[in-house]
Amino acid sequence: MSEMRSESDRPNWSVPVAVDGLRRSGNMDDLPRGLLTRAWLRSLTGARAGPEGAQSDLDEAWEIAERGPMPLFLADIHLYRARLFFRETTYPCQWQSPQHDLAEARRLIFKHGYLRRKEELEDAEAALKHFGNATTS
């Protein structure tokens, strides 16, 4: 008998299934998008670090996008890293800082004309600035 799942729990099981399907398809062009979505979901549920966490999804997406090359995904990954981890007391060791990630996202967004991410970038920059001001007061 199949397990009954509620509508509210749908993202918790459908996103990982979708990522597995993308991985099995062998189409690396779409896998980073699935990994970014799963990283966001994992972050919302508290799974930030470790092999089953948002950080590992972002690292895997980075490896794929860097080899691609897929500069728009690299910009997205920089944005996700800064947005999901800027409040952490220790930024993940292989990443430099949320400020660096946002600066790199800005560079890639404008270099490649990826302006649909401009508003999200500006929102993340404002949040980081506000958070920095709040922690120093």
Side-chain angles (χ1 to χ4, degrees):
M1 186 166 165
S2 69
E3 177 183 323
M4 295 298 293
R5 294 183 172 125
S6 70
E7 277 300 307
S8 64
D9 194 41
R10 174 176 244 140
N12 291 328
W13 59 266
S14 63
V15 171
V17 168
V19 170
D20 290 342
L22 289 169
R23 192 182 312 283
R24 282 192 313 272
S25 78
N27 183 352
M28 292 295 113
D29 293 346
D30 293 322
L31 184 55
R33 186 174 294 108
L35 291 166
L36 288 170
T37 302
R38 189 170 70 182
W40 194 269
L41 176 64
R42 285 177 164 178
S43 177
L44 290 174
T45 61
R48 286 191 169 73
E52 296 297 316
Q55 181 181 344
S56 67
D57 284 340
L58 294 173
D59 288 343
E60 183 179 355
W62 180 269
E63 289 173 17
I64 295 165
E66 193 173 45
R67 279 193 315 259
M70 301 173 179
L72 303 185
F73 278 132
L74 292 175
D76 287 340
I77 294 162
H78 281 296
L79 276 172
Y80 273 62
R81 290 187 334 192
R83 293 186 80 191
L84 297 179
F85 289 90
F86 79 93
R87 288 184 189 91
E88 300 295 319
T89 53
T90 305
Y91 206 60
C93 63
Q94 70 275 25
W95 308 339
Q96 292 185 24
S97 69
Q99 294 83 356
H100 176 265
D101 275 324
L102 289 178
E104 279 301 298
R106 175 172 283 284
R107 184 184 69 77
L108 290 166
I109 286 167
F110 284 94
K111 177 181 179 183
H112 296 284
Y114 193 32
L115 299 181
R116 70 180 186 171
R117 289 290 190 240
K118 183 177 181 257
E119 187 176 343
E120 184 179 349
L121 171 68
E122 291 169 346
D123 179 59
E125 290 170 334
L128 184 61
K129 183 177 180 182
H130 176 76
F131 182 76
N133 290 339
T135 58
T136 58
S137 344

